Amino acid sequence: MFNFVVNRGVKAASVQRIYNTFASFNLPRYVSSFATVDAEKISGSSPAEVLNLVQGKWVGSSNYNTIVDPLNGDSFIKVAEVDETGIQPFVESLSSCPKHGVHNPFKAPERYLMLGDVTTKAAHMLSLPKVSDFFTRLIQRVSPKSYQQAHGEVFVTRKFLENFCGDQVRFLARSFAVPGNHLGQQSHGFRWPYGPVAIITPFNFPLEIPVLQLMGALYMGNKPVLKVDSKVSIVMEQFLRLLHTCGLPVEDVDFINSDGKTMNKLLQEANPQMTLFTGSSRVAEKLAVDLKGKIKLEDAGFDWKILGPDVEQEDYIAWVCDQDAYACSGQKCSAQSLLFLHENWSHTSFISKLKDLAERRKLDDLTIGPVLTFTTESMLEHMNKLLEIPGSKLLFGGQPLKDHSIPSIYGAIKPTAVYVPLEEIVKDNNYELVTKEIFGPFQIITDYKSNQLPIVLDALERMHAHLTAAVQVIGNTVNGTTYAGLRARTTGAPQNHWFGPAGDPRGAGIGTPEAIKLVWSCHREIIYDIGPVPKNWEVPSST
């Protein structure tokens, strides 16, 4: 039975419904072959421990960061965090990797095959119901979301791995040749690794984002050090152990738990050739300066959707908008933050249907849950500032969740929507407030007339983060992952399409061969010029 302390007004029945399936969960042989934790048994009385991996060894630390359960505040995970005095082994490990990488098209090409085999085995492991369930439930413990949402993350990760089994890793390094100027000359383009690299990923997708970026880095021949937000790093620690079981050499990846200051010092001392950062725009801009531009960014996005004048499939589109705004409690970098409705939608029951869908969400099944980067007070304060704008009004939500034990360091509010008039949004004294990203179940809704479309486009042009959108104005926008058409959404990053921003030369993608090659390799041109030298050639005059 799950050992869960009921306190601070939480309803015992609600807690039981959240965790009722944990009771019968047993670790079978193929989970226990790699796992060092049991998602069912992690609790304040039996905390899990997360270690670091460096130079092929799992190591602890003299400093432990205690992670509290997002649902009840119990101290349930101990993370061995490295401080600034302990980074030297990681610096040495990265520095041991040459700039030409662990492998490349001319060096250790058998590693392409090895990584293809590792990927095949890892994909098979994730296809096993008990392994998939293990990671799904572990994700739920540290980044609470519904079982369906957490399982979707595991499913996408598995499908990504299936895409790169066997020879597909080798094919990522495919080269090309161009005829030269004379006999014996050819120009060859190769994808070349950076060598020592770093990966920094956030809390909201504890498995999908770090696995996809880590495997891409390895495929192209790099030696990565990986840092995942300590609140959720237990998920990736367990997946690394799975990869080792599947044959990945333990020296291939370093894994560090630390605070931001320590990681910044590691990056500056180890000086990786490239760093991939997924997270907030503020931190991204600081790293870009500190690392002298040697960085790829998949940073925050204030994502928007435009519903045009054609009103159809109202129920379906309301459901998509609810999913985009409030699934995972709005904690997706692709979550719908601003919804533009053509005035034709204002004469329908669309908002009422959206409200009904939002109000179905319950803490019992984690379709709404803790917000890990904003407190309840900060989100409600932001809402109240918006409501001071002339013509603004609360459409639904705007209240704290009731009858729960979510600790006060996290947020807990009902799915919320605030209406702000378009003409007020674009005013200089309102624009920054309206477009502030609230990483939670919160969105702005506005409407527009057909002759106001230029104002809508101006509002979009002024935004600085261009990650995802659902639009009918493709030619006048720049978002890197854009959905268009009746079934357009803003969220969702399946393994079959590019996911990442556009409009920024530092932009990073994820998921596809194009994304892997762009982020984790550079172009190298090798010109073969073997002759022969023309008959009767003589030394020409100096030029």
Side-chain angles (χ1 to χ4, degrees):
M1 188 67 182
F2 186 78
N3 187 6
F4 196 92
V5 178
V6 179
N7 57 14
R8 291 185 291 279
V10 70
K11 292 182 177 179
S14 296
V15 173
Q16 183 60 38
R17 279 194 294 273
I18 294 173
Y19 291 113
N20 61 358
T21 51
F22 279 123
S24 61
F25 183 70
N26 296 310
L27 291 178
R29 178 181 56 80
Y30 37 76
V31 174
S32 59
S33 65
F34 69 86
T36 60
V37 301
D38 185 336
E40 175 193 353
K41 296 179 180 179
I42 303 172
S43 65
S45 60
S46 181
E49 183 179 13
V50 180
L51 301 179
N52 303 282
L53 176 63
V54 62
Q55 298 179 7
K57 296 180 180 179
W58 289 103
V59 296
S61 171
S62 58
N63 302 300
Y64 278 84
N65 178 16
T66 301
I67 307 300
V68 299
D69 190 319
L71 289 174
N72 72 350
D74 283 353
S75 300
F76 77 142
I77 299 176
K78 298 189 301 179
V79 179
E81 288 204 345
V82 176
D83 61 21
E84 293 184 39
T85 65
I87 64 172
Q88 193 57 35
F90 294 90
V91 173
E92 293 173 357
S93 184
L94 269 192
S95 300
S96 68
C97 179
K99 292 179 182 178
H100 55 261
V102 183
H103 65 265
N104 60 53
F106 291 86
K107 172 188 175 182
E110 64 276 4
R111 281 182 51 87
Y112 294 116
L113 307 183
M114 179 271 291
L115 288 167
D117 290 342
V118 169
T119 301
T120 301
K121 295 173 184 175
H124 173 68
M125 288 286 279
L126 281 189
S127 74
L128 300 173
K130 286 294 185 181
V131 177
S132 173
D133 191 61
F134 169 75
F135 282 107
T136 298
R137 298 187 186 284
L138 195 57
I139 290 169
Q140 283 189 292
R141 295 304 313 280
V142 294
S143 183
K145 58 185 81 172
S146 70
Y147 188 91
Q148 292 84 351
Q149 288 287 321
H151 181 265
E153 185 176 342
V154 179
F155 176 80
V156 168
T157 303
R158 172 169 68 87
K159 299 303 289 185
F160 167 86
L161 293 172
E162 289 174 355
N163 284 345
F164 293 98
C165 293
D167 279 334
Q168 297 308 311
V169 174
R170 171 172 30 205
F171 291 156
L172 287 170
R174 188 191 301 271
S175 61
F176 64 86
V178 177
N181 293 335
H182 51 257
L183 183 63
Q185 185 185 75
Q186 281 189 332
S187 178
H188 289 252
F190 293 94
R191 299 313 301 178
W192 215 255
Y194 290 104
V197 299
I199 303 169
I200 304 173
T201 64
F203 74 91
N204 55 332
F205 286 89
L207 184 71
E208 181 180 343
I209 294 176
V211 170
L212 269 59
Q213 294 293 15
L214 173 67
M215 299 310 291
L218 290 170
Y219 293 158
M220 300 313 295
N222 301 288
K223 166 67 180 286
V225 58
L226 171 65
K227 179 193 175 334
V228 180
D229 189 313
S230 292
K231 291 191 292 291
V232 300
S233 61
I234 189 172
V235 177
M236 200 58 202
E237 188 224 40
Q238 295 299 297
F239 191 79
L240 282 171
R241 295 179 186 275
L242 180 150
L243 288 177
H244 294 158
T245 301
C246 293
L248 181 73
V250 291
E251 301 85 4
D252 275 17
V253 180
D254 292 334
F255 179 69
I256 186 171
N257 298 289
S258 72
D259 60 19
K261 183 179 178 183
T262 298
M263 189 63 189
N264 190 269
K265 184 176 177 62
L266 168 60
L267 293 175
Q268 292 188 312
E269 291 197 13
N271 192 29
Q273 291 297 105
M274 209 285 290
T275 294
L276 180 281
F277 175 80
T278 305
S280 77
S281 297
R282 178 184 59 81
V283 177
E285 293 301 331
K286 181 183 186 305
L287 283 174
V289 174
D290 292 346
L291 302 178
K292 299 179 176 61
K294 295 194 297 184
I295 193 168
K296 289 286 186 181
L297 304 176
E298 189 189 347
D299 55 350
F302 187 83
D303 305 300
W304 44 265
K305 181 182 292 179
I306 299 175
L307 298 187
D310 298 328
V311 177
E312 54 183 321
Q313 298 293 328
E314 190 178 327
D315 289 336
Y316 179 83
I317 292 173
W319 173 77
V320 171
C321 288
D322 170 73
Q323 286 291 108
D324 283 346
Y326 304 125
C328 297
S329 300
Q331 295 173 103
K332 295 183 179 181
C333 52
S334 55
Q336 177 179 297
S337 301
L338 177 55
L339 176 60
F340 295 92
L341 298 176
H342 188 275
E343 61 178 340
N344 291 353
W345 289 88
S346 303
H347 308 305
T348 71
S349 57
F350 175 79
I351 294 296
S352 175
K353 291 181 177 180
L354 184 59
K355 176 176 181 290
D356 291 342
L357 290 167
E359 291 178 346
R360 293 191 310 173
R361 297 182 173 275
K362 305 296 181 184
L363 183 60
D364 292 359
D365 58 7
L366 293 179
T367 51
I368 193 67
V371 176
L372 303 190
T373 54
F374 282 86
T375 64
T376 301
E377 291 73 22
S378 64
M379 288 186 286
L380 295 180
E381 180 184 3
H382 178 71
M383 178 191 73
N384 290 329
K385 289 180 179 178
L386 290 169
L387 292 175
E388 293 175 2
I389 297 174
S392 297
K393 59 184 177 182
L394 179 66
L395 295 176
F396 53 83
Q399 296 179 343
L401 294 178
K402 296 179 180 180
D403 300 326
H404 65 80
S405 58
I406 296 170
S408 59
I409 60 171
Y410 298 139
I413 69 168
K414 295 180 179 180
T416 299
V418 174
Y419 173 84
V420 182
L422 178 61
E423 58 271 19
E424 292 292 335
I425 289 177
V426 295
K427 289 182 178 178
D428 291 340
N429 56 333
N430 293 333
Y431 187 80
E432 185 174 349
L433 174 66
V434 172
T435 58
K436 177 181 179 180
E437 183 180 20
I438 301 298
F439 213 53
F442 194 100
Q443 68 171 320
I444 308 294
I445 296 179
T446 191
D447 51 15
Y448 70 99
K449 297 179 172 61
S450 294
N451 62 3
Q452 290 181 306
L453 184 58
I455 301 175
V456 173
L457 295 177
D458 178 62
L460 304 181
E461 181 68 18
R462 290 165 63 183
M463 294 180 190
H464 71 277
H466 305 289
L467 184 55
T468 71
V471 301
Q472 293 184 328
V473 285
I474 295 174
N476 291 308
T477 53
V478 70
N479 296 54
T481 303
T482 302
Y483 300 87
L486 177 66
R487 300 183 67 171
R489 55 186 179 173
T490 65
T491 60
Q495 73 294 333
N496 63 299
H497 72 59
W498 162 285
F499 187 85
D504 188 334
R506 304 167 300 179
I510 193 170
T512 63
E514 291 76 18
I516 291 173
K517 287 183 277 191
L518 172 79
V519 175
W520 294 114
S521 68
C522 58
H523 181 90
R524 185 181 186 189
E525 195 84 0
I526 298 177
I527 297 89
Y528 291 96
D529 202 345
I530 61 175
V533 175
K535 193 174 182 179
N536 301 322
W537 181 87
E538 296 180 356
V539 177
S541 301
S542 299
T543 60

